[in-house]
Amino acid sequence: MTAGRLLLVRHGRTAYNSEARLQGQVDIPLDAVGRWQARTAAARLLTRHEPTAIVVSDLSRAHETASFLARAAGLALSVDARLRERAFGLWEGLTGDDLRRDWADEFAVWRAGGQPEGVGAETRAEVAQRVREGILEHAAALGPDDTLVVVSHGSAISCAVGDLLGMPTDWHGFAGMLNAHWTELVATRGDFSPSWRMVGYNLGPTDASTDWNAGPDSTHDADAETRDPD
């Protein structure tokens, strides 16, 4: 048995996202735009899907994002540390300019798809394994008519999705997901490989604002469905 559908949601915006800093496992909260993104995305997701269970990373930006959806759906949250973002070691909190200046050789390796030495970052394979194990454990507790929502992080999701689709760990075919957007997978029926198929990637309410990363338009008021009911 397994859930018939997986929705893998990236958290809303943080100050580090706004400043283009590498977050990794730094436990930074959502900013005001991120909270708007989270509640707007939750409203849109619930117009399309009926979640059966919601499991979330233990980092606060993911937990806060998931809380908007859980409250609206009337579900409890299950926290799983395996869904944390990829650890980037000594690079966490740094910008691209910082890395080009102070870690030029290692940064060049990373940008080329390699694993930099001496940084202390998790490999893509390590991230894919732990996130996949967490997802599949929770999915296995559900049935084919159920929808599991996983609220996690950009790199963690891209590594796990590639793994679930049977791609090699050094494959970099996914562009970065927007904050508070999601990827949809459905379970493969029959004796086919891989066990999951992609329905959509980087899905979300991008029509809620002319610039999603900047927050709501000053001249456009979101409709009642996108507002926080509290």
Side-chain angles (χ1 to χ4, degrees), residues 3-10 41-42 44-56 66 69 83 135 139 142 146-153 157 161 164 177 181-187 196-204:
R5 189 177 309 275
L6 291 176
L7 302 176
L8 298 110
V9 184
R10 186 187 178 202
R44 181 58 57 87
L45 187 150
L46 290 175
T47 67
R48 304 175 184 176
H49 302 285
E50 185 175 349
T52 307
I54 305 171
V55 59
V56 60
L69 180 62
L83 304 179
I135 290 171
L142 303 177
D146 293 328
T147 296
L148 174 64
V149 177
V150 174
V151 184
S152 185
H153 309 264
I157 290 173
V161 168
L164 290 169
M177 287 174 59
H181 279 55
W182 59 88
T183 292
E184 181 178 351
L185 303 179
V186 294
W196 296 91
R197 294 177 295 156
M198 179 178 287
V199 175
Y201 182 81
N202 207 23
L203 305 172

Side-chain angles (χ1 to χ4, degrees), residues 11-31:
H11 62 80
R13 197 186 84 166
T14 70
Y16 271 23
N17 288 145
S18 179
E19 298 165 1
R21 294 184 182 277
L22 199 58
Q23 287 183 122
Q25 296 186 357
V26 175
D27 196 11
I28 185 170
L30 300 181
D31 64 11

Side-chain angles (χ1 to χ4, degrees), residues 21-214:
R21 294 184 182 277
L22 199 58
Q23 287 183 122
Q25 296 186 357
V26 175
D27 196 11
I28 185 170
L30 300 181
D31 64 11
V33 169
R35 290 188 290 275
W36 169 81
Q37 290 175 336
R39 64 176 178 264
T40 302
R44 181 58 57 87
L45 187 150
L46 290 175
T47 67
R48 304 175 184 176
H49 302 285
E50 185 175 349
T52 307
I54 305 171
V55 59
V56 60
S57 158
D58 63 338
L59 296 179
S60 61
R61 59 188 182 271
H63 195 280
E64 188 175 4
T65 299
S67 69
F68 288 99
L69 180 62
R71 184 173 59 218
L75 295 172
L77 292 177
S78 178
V79 178
D80 192 328
R82 290 174 293 184
L83 304 179
R84 276 188 171 203
E85 179 58 298
R86 182 182 181 183
F88 288 103
L90 299 174
W91 284 2
E92 293 184 350
L94 302 182
T95 65
D97 287 341
D98 295 331
L99 297 176
R100 279 185 287 270
R101 183 187 64 240
D102 300 330
W103 300 83
D105 293 340
E106 295 84 355
F107 186 57
V109 170
W110 185 55
R111 294 293 293 173
Q115 180 65 26
E117 298 292 333
V119 173
E122 283 184 285
T123 66
R124 290 177 61 86
E126 291 169 339
V127 178
Q129 179 178 344
R130 66 170 168 81
V131 178
R132 179 195 68 234
E133 288 176 352
I135 290 171
L136 294 183
E137 181 178 306
H138 291 279
L142 303 177
D145 295 327
D146 293 328
T147 296
L148 174 64
V149 177
V150 174
V151 184
S152 185
H153 309 264
S155 184
I157 290 173
S158 66
C159 289
V161 168
D163 188 81
L164 290 169
L165 296 178
M167 305 305 295
T169 55
D170 59 352
W171 188 72
H172 292 74
F174 294 122
M177 287 174 59
L178 293 171
N179 289 109
H181 279 55
W182 59 88
T183 292
E184 181 178 351
L185 303 179
V186 294
T188 301
R189 301 305 177 198
D191 296 327
F192 299 101
S193 182
S195 299
W196 296 91
R197 294 177 295 156
M198 179 178 287
V199 175
Y201 182 81
N202 207 23
L203 305 172
T206 51
D207 58 344
S209 170
T210 55
D211 185 352
W212 176 252
N213 291 327

